[in-house]
Structures are given as C-alpha cells and as structure tokens.
mmCIF file of all heavy atoms in Angstrom:
data_model
loop_
_atom_site.group_PDB
_atom_site.id
_atom_site.type_symbol
_atom_site.label_atom_id
_atom_site.label_comp_id
_atom_site.label_asym_id
_atom_site.label_seq_id
_atom_site.Cartn_x
_atom_site.Cartn_y
_atom_site.Cartn_z
ATOM 1 N N SER A 1 -88.922 -86.384 107.167
ATOM 2 C CA SER A 1 -89.374 -86.437 108.553
ATOM 3 C C SER A 1 -88.424 -87.272 109.407
ATOM 4 O O SER A 1 -88.076 -86.883 110.530
ATOM 5 C CB SER A 1 -90.785 -87.025 108.608
ATOM 6 O OG SER A 1 -91.216 -87.186 109.929
ATOM 7 N N ARG A 2 -87.976 -88.398 108.883
ATOM 8 C CA ARG A 2 -87.054 -89.238 109.643
ATOM 9 C C ARG A 2 -85.720 -88.541 109.861
ATOM 10 O O ARG A 2 -85.098 -88.655 110.928
ATOM 11 C CB ARG A 2 -86.827 -90.575 108.932
ATOM 12 C CG ARG A 2 -86.239 -91.649 109.846
ATOM 13 C CD ARG A 2 -85.831 -92.887 109.107
ATOM 14 N NE ARG A 2 -84.547 -92.726 108.433
ATOM 15 C CZ ARG A 2 -83.744 -93.732 108.082
ATOM 16 N NH1 ARG A 2 -84.118 -94.985 108.335
ATOM 17 N NH2 ARG A 2 -82.621 -93.513 107.473
ATOM 18 N N GLU A 3 -85.263 -87.788 108.860
ATOM 19 C CA GLU A 3 -83.968 -87.116 108.929
ATOM 20 C C GLU A 3 -83.951 -86.009 109.977
ATOM 21 O O GLU A 3 -82.949 -85.810 110.670
ATOM 22 C CB GLU A 3 -83.625 -86.533 107.552
ATOM 23 C CG GLU A 3 -82.258 -85.880 107.454
ATOM 24 C CD GLU A 3 -81.115 -86.882 107.549
ATOM 25 O OE1 GLU A 3 -81.341 -88.085 107.275
ATOM 26 O OE2 GLU A 3 -79.992 -86.455 107.910
ATOM 27 N N ILE A 4 -85.053 -85.273 110.110
ATOM 28 C CA ILE A 4 -85.053 -84.091 110.973
ATOM 29 C C ILE A 4 -85.612 -84.362 112.362
ATOM 30 O O ILE A 4 -85.519 -83.503 113.243
ATOM 31 C CB ILE A 4 -85.843 -82.933 110.330
ATOM 32 C CG1 ILE A 4 -87.328 -83.306 110.171
ATOM 33 C CG2 ILE A 4 -85.243 -82.546 108.984
ATOM 34 C CD1 ILE A 4 -88.194 -82.183 109.607
ATOM 35 N N SER A 5 -86.180 -85.546 112.585
ATOM 36 C CA SER A 5 -86.812 -85.833 113.869
ATOM 37 C C SER A 5 -85.886 -86.644 114.759
ATOM 38 O O SER A 5 -85.208 -87.567 114.301
ATOM 39 C CB SER A 5 -88.123 -86.616 113.658
ATOM 40 O OG SER A 5 -89.013 -85.884 112.850
ATOM 41 N N GLU A 6 -85.865 -86.295 116.049
ATOM 42 C CA GLU A 6 -85.066 -87.062 116.998
ATOM 43 C C GLU A 6 -85.729 -88.400 117.314
ATOM 44 O O GLU A 6 -85.058 -89.388 117.589
ATOM 45 C CB GLU A 6 -84.877 -86.258 118.288
ATOM 46 C CG GLU A 6 -84.015 -85.004 118.111
ATOM 47 C CD GLU A 6 -83.757 -84.301 119.424
ATOM 48 O OE1 GLU A 6 -84.103 -84.888 120.482
ATOM 49 O OE2 GLU A 6 -83.225 -83.185 119.398
ATOM 50 N N VAL A 7 -87.051 -88.424 117.286
ATOM 51 C CA VAL A 7 -87.797 -89.645 117.579
ATOM 52 C C VAL A 7 -88.896 -89.816 116.529
ATOM 53 O O VAL A 7 -89.689 -88.909 116.305
ATOM 54 C CB VAL A 7 -88.447 -89.585 118.982
ATOM 55 C CG1 VAL A 7 -89.243 -90.867 119.238
ATOM 56 C CG2 VAL A 7 -87.404 -89.368 120.056
ATOM 57 N N GLY A 8 -88.922 -90.958 115.860
ATOM 58 C CA GLY A 8 -90.008 -91.282 114.951
ATOM 59 C C GLY A 8 -89.940 -90.561 113.625
ATOM 60 O O GLY A 8 -89.006 -89.822 113.309
ATOM 61 N N ALA A 9 -90.992 -90.770 112.841
ATOM 62 C CA ALA A 9 -91.137 -90.141 111.529
ATOM 63 C C ALA A 9 -92.588 -90.352 111.090
ATOM 64 O O ALA A 9 -93.194 -91.363 111.434
ATOM 65 C CB ALA A 9 -90.191 -90.754 110.510
ATOM 66 N N HIS A 10 -93.117 -89.403 110.335
ATOM 67 C CA HIS A 10 -94.518 -89.572 109.937
ATOM 68 C C HIS A 10 -94.611 -90.521 108.740
ATOM 69 O O HIS A 10 -93.796 -90.498 107.831
ATOM 70 C CB HIS A 10 -95.180 -88.212 109.656
ATOM 71 C CG HIS A 10 -95.016 -87.670 108.279
ATOM 72 N ND1 HIS A 10 -95.812 -88.052 107.227
ATOM 73 C CD2 HIS A 10 -94.168 -86.730 107.789
ATOM 74 C CE1 HIS A 10 -95.451 -87.386 106.144
ATOM 75 N NE2 HIS A 10 -94.453 -86.582 106.450
ATOM 76 N N ASN A 11 -95.618 -91.370 108.809
ATOM 77 C CA ASN A 11 -95.878 -92.279 107.694
ATOM 78 C C ASN A 11 -97.359 -92.276 107.383
ATOM 79 O O ASN A 11 -98.163 -91.685 108.112
ATOM 80 C CB ASN A 11 -95.360 -93.691 107.969
ATOM 81 C CG ASN A 11 -95.971 -94.308 109.198
ATOM 82 O OD1 ASN A 11 -96.963 -93.822 109.743
ATOM 83 N ND2 ASN A 11 -95.379 -95.397 109.673
ATOM 84 N N GLN A 12 -97.712 -92.917 106.291
ATOM 85 C CA GLN A 12 -99.096 -92.896 105.845
ATOM 86 C C GLN A 12 -99.370 -94.085 104.935
ATOM 87 O O GLN A 12 -98.446 -94.707 104.419
ATOM 88 C CB GLN A 12 -99.430 -91.609 105.095
ATOM 89 C CG GLN A 12 -98.519 -91.265 103.940
ATOM 90 C CD GLN A 12 -97.315 -90.452 104.367
ATOM 91 O OE1 GLN A 12 -97.426 -89.544 105.180
ATOM 92 N NE2 GLN A 12 -96.162 -90.790 103.838
ATOM 93 N N ARG A 13 -100.650 -94.333 104.748
ATOM 94 C CA ARG A 13 -101.023 -95.298 103.719
ATOM 95 C C ARG A 13 -100.981 -94.578 102.378
ATOM 96 O O ARG A 13 -101.392 -93.424 102.255
ATOM 97 C CB ARG A 13 -102.421 -95.854 103.962
ATOM 98 C CG ARG A 13 -102.765 -97.012 103.014
ATOM 99 C CD ARG A 13 -104.179 -97.508 103.202
ATOM 100 N NE ARG A 13 -104.398 -98.001 104.565
ATOM 101 C CZ ARG A 13 -105.562 -98.495 104.981
ATOM 102 N NH1 ARG A 13 -106.592 -98.530 104.148
ATOM 103 N NH2 ARG A 13 -105.696 -98.918 106.216
ATOM 104 N N SER A 14 -100.483 -95.275 101.381
ATOM 105 C CA SER A 14 -100.403 -94.740 100.027
ATOM 106 C C SER A 14 -101.127 -95.684 99.081
ATOM 107 O O SER A 14 -101.343 -96.865 99.397
ATOM 108 C CB SER A 14 -98.937 -94.598 99.593
ATOM 109 O OG SER A 14 -98.227 -93.781 100.503
ATOM 110 N N LEU A 15 -101.482 -95.168 97.920
ATOM 111 C CA LEU A 15 -102.141 -95.990 96.916
ATOM 112 C C LEU A 15 -101.378 -95.873 95.607
ATOM 113 O O LEU A 15 -101.189 -94.768 95.082
ATOM 114 C CB LEU A 15 -103.585 -95.543 96.697
ATOM 115 C CG LEU A 15 -104.419 -96.427 95.756
ATOM 116 C CD1 LEU A 15 -104.647 -97.808 96.379
ATOM 117 C CD2 LEU A 15 -105.750 -95.769 95.432
ATOM 118 N N VAL A 16 -100.929 -97.017 95.102
ATOM 119 C CA VAL A 16 -100.259 -97.061 93.808
ATOM 120 C C VAL A 16 -101.238 -97.677 92.804
ATOM 121 O O VAL A 16 -101.749 -98.775 93.015
ATOM 122 C CB VAL A 16 -98.967 -97.897 93.862
ATOM 123 C CG1 VAL A 16 -98.306 -97.931 92.485
ATOM 124 C CG2 VAL A 16 -98.005 -97.329 94.899
ATOM 125 N N ARG A 17 -101.482 -96.950 91.736
ATOM 126 C CA ARG A 17 -102.345 -97.446 90.655
ATOM 127 C C ARG A 17 -101.472 -97.692 89.437
ATOM 128 O O ARG A 17 -100.799 -96.780 88.959
ATOM 129 C CB ARG A 17 -103.436 -96.432 90.329
ATOM 130 C CG ARG A 17 -104.390 -96.901 89.215
ATOM 131 C CD ARG A 17 -105.448 -95.862 88.891
ATOM 132 N NE ARG A 17 -106.339 -95.642 90.022
ATOM 133 C CZ ARG A 17 -106.338 -94.549 90.789
ATOM 134 N NH1 ARG A 17 -105.479 -93.562 90.536
ATOM 135 N NH2 ARG A 17 -107.169 -94.426 91.792
ATOM 136 N N VAL A 18 -101.469 -98.923 88.947
ATOM 137 C CA VAL A 18 -100.616 -99.262 87.815
ATOM 138 C C VAL A 18 -101.474 -99.867 86.700
ATOM 139 O O VAL A 18 -102.316 -100.733 86.956
ATOM 140 C CB VAL A 18 -99.471 -100.215 88.234
ATOM 141 C CG1 VAL A 18 -99.993 -101.485 88.869
ATOM 142 C CG2 VAL A 18 -98.566 -100.549 87.066
ATOM 143 N N GLN A 19 -101.278 -99.376 85.493
ATOM 144 C CA GLN A 19 -101.919 -99.921 84.292
ATOM 145 C C GLN A 19 -100.826 -100.445 83.368
ATOM 146 O O GLN A 19 -99.781 -99.798 83.229
ATOM 147 C CB GLN A 19 -102.725 -98.860 83.556
ATOM 148 C CG GLN A 19 -103.921 -98.320 84.300
ATOM 149 C CD GLN A 19 -104.688 -97.304 83.469
ATOM 150 O OE1 GLN A 19 -104.104 -96.528 82.719
ATOM 151 N NE2 GLN A 19 -105.999 -97.298 83.597
ATOM 152 N N ILE A 20 -101.080 -101.587 82.732
ATOM 153 C CA ILE A 20 -100.080 -102.143 81.818
ATOM 154 C C ILE A 20 -100.750 -102.694 80.566
ATOM 155 O O ILE A 20 -101.911 -103.116 80.585
ATOM 156 C CB ILE A 20 -99.242 -103.265 82.472
ATOM 157 C CG1 ILE A 20 -100.127 -104.475 82.819
ATOM 158 C CG2 ILE A 20 -98.485 -102.754 83.682
ATOM 159 C CD1 ILE A 20 -99.330 -105.720 83.194
ATOM 160 N N ARG A 21 -100.003 -102.682 79.470
ATOM 161 C CA ARG A 21 -100.268 -103.512 78.299
ATOM 162 C C ARG A 21 -99.135 -104.520 78.235
ATOM 163 O O ARG A 21 -97.979 -104.178 78.512
ATOM 164 C CB ARG A 21 -100.305 -102.677 77.020
ATOM 165 C CG ARG A 21 -101.474 -101.708 76.924
ATOM 166 C CD ARG A 21 -101.497 -101.004 75.573
ATOM 167 N NE ARG A 21 -102.670 -100.150 75.418
ATOM 168 C CZ ARG A 21 -102.676 -98.843 75.624
ATOM 169 N NH1 ARG A 21 -101.555 -98.218 75.988
ATOM 170 N NH2 ARG A 21 -103.792 -98.144 75.474
ATOM 171 N N TYR A 22 -99.437 -105.757 77.879
ATOM 172 C CA TYR A 22 -98.386 -106.770 77.869
ATOM 173 C C TYR A 22 -98.389 -107.568 76.572
ATOM 174 O O TYR A 22 -99.388 -107.645 75.868
ATOM 175 C CB TYR A 22 -98.492 -107.699 79.075
ATOM 176 C CG TYR A 22 -99.830 -108.387 79.267
ATOM 177 C CD1 TYR A 22 -100.294 -109.342 78.369
ATOM 178 C CD2 TYR A 22 -100.610 -108.105 80.378
ATOM 179 C CE1 TYR A 22 -101.489 -109.994 78.561
ATOM 180 C CE2 TYR A 22 -101.829 -108.755 80.582
ATOM 181 C CZ TYR A 22 -102.256 -109.692 79.669
ATOM 182 O OH TYR A 22 -103.456 -110.333 79.859
ATOM 183 N N ARG A 23 -97.210 -108.152 76.280
ATOM 184 C CA ARG A 23 -97.061 -109.017 75.108
ATOM 185 C C ARG A 23 -97.523 -110.436 75.426
ATOM 186 O O ARG A 23 -98.156 -111.093 74.625
ATOM 187 C CB ARG A 23 -95.594 -109.021 74.661
ATOM 188 C CG ARG A 23 -95.074 -107.623 74.293
ATOM 189 C CD ARG A 23 -93.605 -107.658 73.910
ATOM 190 N NE ARG A 23 -93.099 -106.326 73.615
ATOM 191 C CZ ARG A 23 -92.546 -105.519 74.518
ATOM 192 N NH1 ARG A 23 -92.413 -105.937 75.769
ATOM 193 N NH2 ARG A 23 -92.116 -104.318 74.183
ATOM 194 N N GLU A 24 -97.139 -110.926 76.580
ATOM 195 C CA GLU A 24 -97.574 -112.223 77.092
ATOM 196 C C GLU A 24 -98.204 -111.990 78.458
ATOM 197 O O GLU A 24 -97.982 -110.964 79.095
ATOM 198 C CB GLU A 24 -96.391 -113.188 77.195
ATOM 199 C CG GLU A 24 -95.736 -113.522 75.871
ATOM 200 C CD GLU A 24 -96.632 -114.339 74.952
ATOM 201 O OE1 GLU A 24 -97.568 -115.000 75.475
ATOM 202 O OE2 GLU A 24 -96.407 -114.299 73.721
ATOM 203 N N HIS A 25 -98.979 -112.958 78.903
ATOM 204 C CA HIS A 25 -99.778 -112.781 80.118
ATOM 205 C C HIS A 25 -98.917 -112.409 81.325
ATOM 206 O O HIS A 25 -97.857 -112.999 81.562
ATOM 207 C CB HIS A 25 -100.550 -114.065 80.419
ATOM 208 C CG HIS A 25 -101.452 -113.951 81.607
ATOM 209 N ND1 HIS A 25 -102.611 -113.217 81.588
ATOM 210 C CD2 HIS A 25 -101.343 -114.457 82.860
ATOM 211 C CE1 HIS A 25 -103.197 -113.286 82.769
ATOM 212 N NE2 HIS A 25 -102.451 -114.037 83.559
ATOM 213 N N VAL A 26 -99.379 -111.428 82.077
ATOM 214 C CA VAL A 26 -98.770 -111.038 83.352
ATOM 215 C C VAL A 26 -99.811 -111.276 84.443
ATOM 216 O O VAL A 26 -100.928 -110.748 84.374
ATOM 217 C CB VAL A 26 -98.335 -109.560 83.341
ATOM 218 C CG1 VAL A 26 -97.832 -109.136 84.725
ATOM 219 C CG2 VAL A 26 -97.243 -109.328 82.291
ATOM 220 N N TRP A 27 -99.467 -112.058 85.449
ATOM 221 C CA TRP A 27 -100.402 -112.374 86.531
ATOM 222 C C TRP A 27 -100.624 -111.145 87.412
ATOM 223 O O TRP A 27 -99.685 -110.405 87.719
ATOM 224 C CB TRP A 27 -99.859 -113.508 87.387
ATOM 225 C CG TRP A 27 -99.851 -114.841 86.703
ATOM 226 C CD1 TRP A 27 -98.793 -115.450 86.109
ATOM 227 C CD2 TRP A 27 -100.973 -115.718 86.537
ATOM 228 N NE1 TRP A 27 -99.172 -116.662 85.577
ATOM 229 C CE2 TRP A 27 -100.501 -116.855 85.827
ATOM 230 C CE3 TRP A 27 -102.313 -115.670 86.924
ATOM 231 C CZ2 TRP A 27 -101.333 -117.922 85.498
ATOM 232 C CZ3 TRP A 27 -103.145 -116.727 86.593
ATOM 233 C CH2 TRP A 27 -102.654 -117.836 85.894
ATOM 234 N N LEU A 28 -101.870 -110.963 87.839
ATOM 235 C CA LEU A 28 -102.163 -109.893 88.792
ATOM 236 C C LEU A 28 -101.343 -110.057 90.064
ATOM 237 O O LEU A 28 -100.864 -109.079 90.642
ATOM 238 C CB LEU A 28 -103.660 -109.893 89.137
ATOM 239 C CG LEU A 28 -104.586 -109.127 88.194
ATOM 240 C CD1 LEU A 28 -106.043 -109.409 88.549
ATOM 241 C CD2 LEU A 28 -104.304 -107.635 88.243
ATOM 242 N N GLU A 29 -101.183 -111.299 90.510
ATOM 243 C CA GLU A 29 -100.411 -111.545 91.732
ATOM 244 C C GLU A 29 -98.989 -111.019 91.597
ATOM 245 O O GLU A 29 -98.433 -110.425 92.543
ATOM 246 C CB GLU A 29 -100.383 -113.049 92.035
ATOM 247 C CG GLU A 29 -101.701 -113.637 92.499
ATOM 248 C CD GLU A 29 -102.617 -114.048 91.353
ATOM 249 O OE1 GLU A 29 -102.343 -113.683 90.182
ATOM 250 O OE2 GLU A 29 -103.612 -114.737 91.621
ATOM 251 N N ASP A 30 -98.364 -111.223 90.434
ATOM 252 C CA ASP A 30 -96.988 -110.774 90.222
ATOM 253 C C ASP A 30 -96.909 -109.260 90.100
ATOM 254 O O ASP A 30 -95.971 -108.628 90.611
ATOM 255 C CB ASP A 30 -96.407 -111.424 88.964
ATOM 256 C CG ASP A 30 -96.258 -112.926 89.102
ATOM 257 O OD1 ASP A 30 -96.219 -113.414 90.261
ATOM 258 O OD2 ASP A 30 -96.186 -113.620 88.073
ATOM 259 N N LEU A 31 -97.886 -108.668 89.426
ATOM 260 C CA LEU A 31 -97.909 -107.216 89.288
ATOM 261 C C LEU A 31 -98.061 -106.549 90.650
ATOM 262 O O LEU A 31 -97.353 -105.583 90.967
ATOM 263 C CB LEU A 31 -99.066 -106.818 88.368
ATOM 264 C CG LEU A 31 -99.216 -105.335 88.042
ATOM 265 C CD1 LEU A 31 -97.998 -104.802 87.310
ATOM 266 C CD2 LEU A 31 -100.482 -105.097 87.212
ATOM 267 N N ILE A 32 -98.951 -107.065 91.477
ATOM 268 C CA ILE A 32 -99.175 -106.501 92.810
ATOM 269 C C ILE A 32 -97.945 -106.681 93.685
ATOM 270 O O ILE A 32 -97.529 -105.761 94.407
ATOM 271 C CB ILE A 32 -100.420 -107.156 93.439
ATOM 272 C CG1 ILE A 32 -101.682 -106.661 92.706
ATOM 273 C CG2 ILE A 32 -100.506 -106.869 94.931
ATOM 274 C CD1 ILE A 32 -102.931 -107.463 93.006
ATOM 275 N N ALA A 33 -97.319 -107.848 93.618
ATOM 276 C CA ALA A 33 -96.107 -108.088 94.406
ATOM 277 C C ALA A 33 -94.981 -107.142 93.999
ATOM 278 O O ALA A 33 -94.211 -106.670 94.848
ATOM 279 C CB ALA A 33 -95.666 -109.539 94.258
ATOM 280 N N THR A 34 -94.872 -106.851 92.703
ATOM 281 C CA THR A 34 -93.861 -105.902 92.236
ATOM 282 C C THR A 34 -94.066 -104.540 92.865
ATOM 283 O O THR A 34 -93.116 -103.899 93.349
ATOM 284 C CB THR A 34 -93.914 -105.783 90.697
ATOM 285 O OG1 THR A 34 -93.549 -107.036 90.119
ATOM 286 C CG2 THR A 34 -92.977 -104.700 90.189
ATOM 287 N N VAL A 35 -95.312 -104.068 92.862
ATOM 288 C CA VAL A 35 -95.613 -102.755 93.442
ATOM 289 C C VAL A 35 -95.303 -102.752 94.931
ATOM 290 O O VAL A 35 -94.682 -101.813 95.449
ATOM 291 C CB VAL A 35 -97.081 -102.383 93.185
ATOM 292 C CG1 VAL A 35 -97.456 -101.116 93.950
ATOM 293 C CG2 VAL A 35 -97.334 -102.194 91.695
ATOM 294 N N GLU A 36 -95.711 -103.778 95.638
ATOM 295 C CA GLU A 36 -95.501 -103.809 97.094
ATOM 296 C C GLU A 36 -94.028 -103.800 97.457
ATOM 297 O O GLU A 36 -93.634 -103.250 98.490
ATOM 298 C CB GLU A 36 -96.199 -105.038 97.687
ATOM 299 C CG GLU A 36 -97.713 -104.931 97.658
ATOM 300 C CD GLU A 36 -98.416 -106.150 98.221
ATOM 301 O OE1 GLU A 36 -97.824 -107.250 98.184
ATOM 302 O OE2 GLU A 36 -99.556 -106.009 98.685
ATOM 303 N N SER A 37 -93.207 -104.372 96.598
ATOM 304 C CA SER A 37 -91.765 -104.409 96.885
ATOM 305 C C SER A 37 -91.108 -103.041 96.727
ATOM 306 O O SER A 37 -89.954 -102.871 97.111
ATOM 307 C CB SER A 37 -91.080 -105.418 95.955
ATOM 308 O OG SER A 37 -91.053 -104.947 94.613
ATOM 309 N N CYS A 38 -91.830 -102.071 96.166
ATOM 310 C CA CYS A 38 -91.267 -100.748 95.903
ATOM 311 C C CYS A 38 -91.687 -99.707 96.936
ATOM 312 O O CYS A 38 -91.408 -98.517 96.766
ATOM 313 C CB CYS A 38 -91.693 -100.265 94.515
ATOM 314 S SG CYS A 38 -91.103 -101.316 93.167
ATOM 315 N N ALA A 39 -92.374 -100.134 97.993
ATOM 316 C CA ALA A 39 -92.861 -99.215 99.018
ATOM 317 C C ALA A 39 -91.997 -99.315 100.277
ATOM 318 O O ALA A 39 -91.117 -100.177 100.387
ATOM 319 C CB ALA A 39 -94.313 -99.540 99.341
ATOM 320 N N SER A 40 -92.267 -98.443 101.242
ATOM 321 C CA SER A 40 -91.578 -98.562 102.527
ATOM 322 C C SER A 40 -91.934 -99.878 103.203
ATOM 323 O O SER A 40 -91.086 -100.527 103.815
ATOM 324 C CB SER A 40 -91.958 -97.391 103.439
ATOM 325 O OG SER A 40 -91.491 -96.162 102.908
ATOM 326 N N ALA A 41 -93.202 -100.287 103.077
ATOM 327 C CA ALA A 41 -93.652 -101.576 103.610
ATOM 328 C C ALA A 41 -94.988 -101.924 102.968
ATOM 329 O O ALA A 41 -95.717 -101.036 102.524
ATOM 330 C CB ALA A 41 -93.799 -101.523 105.133
ATOM 331 N N PRO A 42 -95.317 -103.219 102.909
ATOM 332 C CA PRO A 42 -96.634 -103.613 102.399
ATOM 333 C C PRO A 42 -97.723 -103.333 103.428
ATOM 334 O O PRO A 42 -97.448 -103.027 104.594
ATOM 335 C CB PRO A 42 -96.485 -105.122 102.162
ATOM 336 C CG PRO A 42 -95.038 -105.438 102.347
ATOM 337 C CD PRO A 42 -94.479 -104.380 103.215
ATOM 338 N N VAL A 43 -98.971 -103.484 102.992
ATOM 339 C CA VAL A 43 -100.132 -103.417 103.869
ATOM 340 C C VAL A 43 -100.707 -104.824 103.998
ATOM 341 O O VAL A 43 -100.739 -105.579 103.020
ATOM 342 C CB VAL A 43 -101.187 -102.438 103.303
ATOM 343 C CG1 VAL A 43 -102.511 -102.559 104.042
ATOM 344 C CG2 VAL A 43 -100.673 -101.005 103.380
ATOM 345 N N TYR A 44 -101.163 -105.173 105.204
ATOM 346 C CA TYR A 44 -101.710 -106.500 105.465
ATOM 347 C C TYR A 44 -103.117 -106.371 106.039
ATOM 348 O O TYR A 44 -103.465 -105.350 106.648
ATOM 349 C CB TYR A 44 -100.840 -107.259 106.469
ATOM 350 C CG TYR A 44 -99.432 -107.528 106.007
ATOM 351 C CD1 TYR A 44 -98.431 -106.565 106.173
ATOM 352 C CD2 TYR A 44 -99.081 -108.742 105.425
ATOM 353 C CE1 TYR A 44 -97.133 -106.804 105.755
ATOM 354 C CE2 TYR A 44 -97.784 -108.994 105.011
ATOM 355 C CZ TYR A 44 -96.813 -108.018 105.178
ATOM 356 O OH TYR A 44 -95.524 -108.261 104.766
#
C-alpha cells in the first residue's frame, strides 16, 4: 500500500500470539518486548 500510494498507506492492528518452552526462566516482559520490536510500531 505504501509503495503504490501517492499519499498514505493502510495500516491495522495486528495480534501476535507466541508460545514458548524454555530451558531457563524467560520473563513475560522480555517476551512481549521482543514481539513488539518486530512490528511496524507498538500499541499503547
């Protein structure tokens, strides 16, 4: 949308669902921050 539009681009809210098994404890805060860093932008 951004490539073909002269003005603007369509965006949306998305939902990422992640499941993990770990060897040592992984904090929910760190897991969530990892996911948010992989999007176009976080949600506040």
Side-chain angles (χ1 to χ4, degrees):
S1 176
R2 198 188 79 157
E3 184 69 22
I4 64 177
S5 301
E6 293 185 9
V7 179
H10 86 83
N11 59 14
Q12 53 272 318
R13 188 183 300 180
S14 303
L15 186 67
V16 179
R17 181 181 295 107
V18 57
Q19 295 182 324
I20 65 168
R21 293 185 175 98
Y22 55 67
R23 301 178 182 91
E24 297 292 338
H25 183 72
V26 174
W27 290 100
L28 275 171
E29 289 86 348
D30 294 339
L31 183 62
I32 289 166
T34 295
V35 172
E36 290 179 334
S37 70
C38 298
S40 295
V43 169
Y44 298 85

